[in-house]
Amino acid sequence: MSNEMEKFGYKQELKRELGFKDVFVYGMLFMVVIAPMSIYGYISKDSNMMTPFVYFVGICAMFFTALSYMKMSNRFPIAGSVYAYVQRGLNHHVGFIAGWLILLDYVFVPALLYLMTANWCVELFPATPHWLWILVFVGLNTLINVRGITYTAKADWIMFYVEVVILALFIGFGLNYVLGEGGGTGKLVMDPLYRPGEMNLHFIGLACTIACLSFLGFDGISTLAEETHKPEVTIGRATMAALLCIGFLFILQTYVATIIQPDLSKLNPDTAFFDAAAIAGGEWFRKVLLVVNILAVGIANTMNAQAATSRVLYGMSRDKVLPLVSGLLCRVHPKFHTPYMATILVGIFSIAVAEFSTVDDLARLVNFGALTSFILLNVAVFNFFWLREGQRGGKALLNYVICPLCGVLILGYVWFSFDSVTQIVGFTWLGLGLIIGFVKSKGYKEVPEAFRKSDMV
């Protein structure tokens, strides 16, 4: 693939060791196979116990953006994700803004996850200090990521099996409790998926707003393009497969939880899923489930988030578009062939941010950047394939006009529903990016050397 990289103006520096299964599992763990367990109660409360339907809406909503990722990863199999795609689909300067915006998501997500994990660990072990758990998980994940993408993939497979086994146990206990013992609803019912009289545009819009944010992370697969064999095929397929599979598992586990305990008046939003697990499997199973959630988020999810963030920083830094740190963050380890300085910086940054922030604060930060950059990605697909290349016909109309437009409309609806604090933080970050982009490009006139040399602009 060295010739392929030269076509885009870069050298092949990272090590290609991943196949379809590796990046598929990476994407599944980035979104967390058992993610609904920690937020199930809040979604159930907001959706009147129709959490499975909410996740179904989420799959439909993010499907169009996943298609756009597929199209762009097929044409531009390079690291940088949305930064690289918008850079080449629209122009370099808009690409920088897209990359800058996704950094608002990627840079703060590891800190958010480390903070959540530390909070859970302190609940299990009240005598331990909060900061100790942050250091432990940051140190472990940074070491694995620096050692090489192969080590990350091996750790991913271990955690994938653990999450799948615990999820299978929950479903087994749940179905036995409902169908075998006659507890909960006593039978399989359609209420969690469809309630007559509840369905209207307002409810679907609310479900879309909640669910879209639950699937953030599927895009992280594209950051591994330069470490994957045949990325022009593998990355897109893995992205779509991971989104659809994780969506099915989200629907399945929340459906079982709902039929175990279907009474909204008895629901505790903080512990709803774990309460359902205790009802069906016993108190011991609740504790096991909590430990597995800690491992899933503290190791698998944060490790992959840190890996994705470092690849985006690497992709932007080698183009020398980041202020002050570009020369540092584009360094690749001579032995492990990983962007080790970017990985270490993300770890240090995560420690500082997690120690002085709250979960609510960080949750507000990550959503604005991700969805705004996704909107730009969908626009880039339309601009590159329909306008620039002039592809026409029914298939082209569907792939490059209708689907991206659906993605923009759905994401736009969610975007306008953000609270004022999220909007203020997001626009402040955007304004800072516009200033940096202006200075680094000398008034938006200069583009990176690789972009000038590329024959695919």
Side-chain angles (χ1 to χ4, degrees), residues 67-371:
L67 280 177
S68 290
Y69 266 96
M70 284 187 68
K71 301 305 178 185
M72 296 306 277
S73 65
N74 290 346
R75 183 60 63 91
F76 304 109
I78 54 179
S81 186
V82 70
Y83 161 68
Y85 301 155
V86 176
Q87 182 189 53
R88 286 162 172 79
L90 289 172
N91 66 56
H92 164 70
H93 306 300
V94 181
F96 168 76
I97 295 302
W100 181 257
L101 286 168
I102 202 69
L103 281 179
L104 184 58
D105 173 18
Y106 278 15
V107 168
F108 286 100
V109 159
L112 170 63
L113 299 173
Y114 284 125
L115 181 58
M116 290 172 58
T117 304
N119 289 342
W120 291 337
C121 288
V122 171
E123 282 188 26
L124 278 180
F125 307 99
T128 57
H130 188 268
W131 57 265
L132 176 63
W133 294 108
I134 296 175
L135 287 178
V136 168
F137 284 106
V138 169
L140 176 62
N141 289 333
T142 300
L143 177 63
I144 293 173
N145 278 324
V146 167
R147 288 283 296 177
I149 199 65
T150 303
Y151 288 88
T152 304
K154 289 179 179 178
D156 278 348
W157 277 105
I158 293 172
M159 286 309 306
F160 180 71
Y161 289 132
V162 170
E163 291 184 42
V164 168
V165 168
I166 200 68
L167 180 56
L169 285 174
F170 171 77
I171 292 170
F173 285 141
L175 292 179
N176 178 67
Y177 173 75
V178 172
L179 302 178
E181 301 177 17
T185 59
K187 60 181 180 180
L188 301 181
V189 296
M190 286 297 294
D191 289 354
L193 295 168
Y194 174 75
R195 290 179 188 271
E198 292 280 346
M199 298 297 182
N200 53 54
L201 288 177
H202 174 73
F203 181 81
I204 293 175
L206 173 65
C208 184
T209 302
I210 296 171
C212 276
L213 304 180
S214 299
F215 288 94
L216 295 183
F218 75 91
D219 53 295
I221 294 175
S222 62
T223 64
L224 303 182
E226 292 178 32
E227 294 157 280
T228 303
H229 298 295
K230 298 182 179 179
E232 66 280 1
V233 176
T234 304
I235 294 298
R237 290 179 179 176
T239 298
M240 185 60 72
L243 177 65
L244 296 178
C245 286
I246 205 77
F248 170 77
L249 293 178
F250 283 4
I251 292 171
L252 178 61
Q253 62 193 282
T254 54
Y255 175 81
V256 173
T258 304
I259 62 175
I260 291 173
Q261 200 293 95
D263 190 347
L264 180 60
S265 65
K266 296 180 181 179
L267 182 134
N268 180 346
D270 293 321
T271 60
F273 200 101
F274 301 102
D275 293 341
I279 291 172
E283 189 61 33
W284 69 271
F285 189 55
R286 177 209 293 268
K287 294 179 181 178
V288 169
L289 215 58
L290 181 58
V291 171
V292 172
N293 270 268
I294 290 173
L295 295 176
V297 175
I299 296 180
N301 192 197
T302 44
M303 179 174 61
N304 290 352
Q306 187 174 4
T309 305
S310 66
R311 270 62 178 179
V312 173
L313 289 172
Y314 165 76
M316 297 182 73
S317 294
R318 68 181 175 184
D319 283 340
K320 299 180 174 58
V321 297
L322 294 177
L324 303 177
V325 294
S326 284
L328 180 68
L329 300 185
C330 66
R331 294 182 184 177
V332 175
H333 198 284
K335 179 179 179 180
F336 304 129
H337 301 283
T338 56
Y340 71 107
M341 292 305 299
T343 303
I344 293 171
L345 179 67
V346 173
I348 295 172
F349 182 82
S350 297
I351 293 172
V353 172
E355 188 60 31
F356 297 103
S357 302
T358 67
V359 171
D360 287 341
D361 292 337
L362 293 177
R364 283 195 178 103
L365 289 175
V366 302
N367 296 329
F368 182 96
L371 294 195

Side-chain angles (χ1 to χ4, degrees), residues 366-444:
V366 302
N367 296 329
F368 182 96
L371 294 195
T372 309
S373 63
F374 289 172
I375 290 172
L376 290 175
L377 172 71
N378 283 294
V379 174
V381 169
F382 167 73
N383 183 74
F384 182 81
F385 292 102
W386 185 263
L387 296 183
R388 190 181 300 178
E389 290 199 334
Q391 296 197 32
R392 293 295 185 266
K395 186 177 180 180
L397 178 66
L398 177 64
N399 287 331
Y400 309 132
V401 179
I402 296 176
C403 287
L405 177 61
C406 289
V408 169
L409 293 176
I410 293 169
L411 295 171
Y413 179 89
V414 178
W415 192 92
F416 278 107
S417 70
F418 286 148
D419 59 62
S420 58
V421 175
T422 301
Q423 296 279 10
I424 291 170
V425 171
F427 278 110
T428 301
W429 182 264
L430 174 60
L432 181 61
L434 290 170
I435 294 171
I436 292 174
F438 182 86
V439 173
K440 293 292 290 184
S441 64
K442 297 181 179 179
Y444 292 115

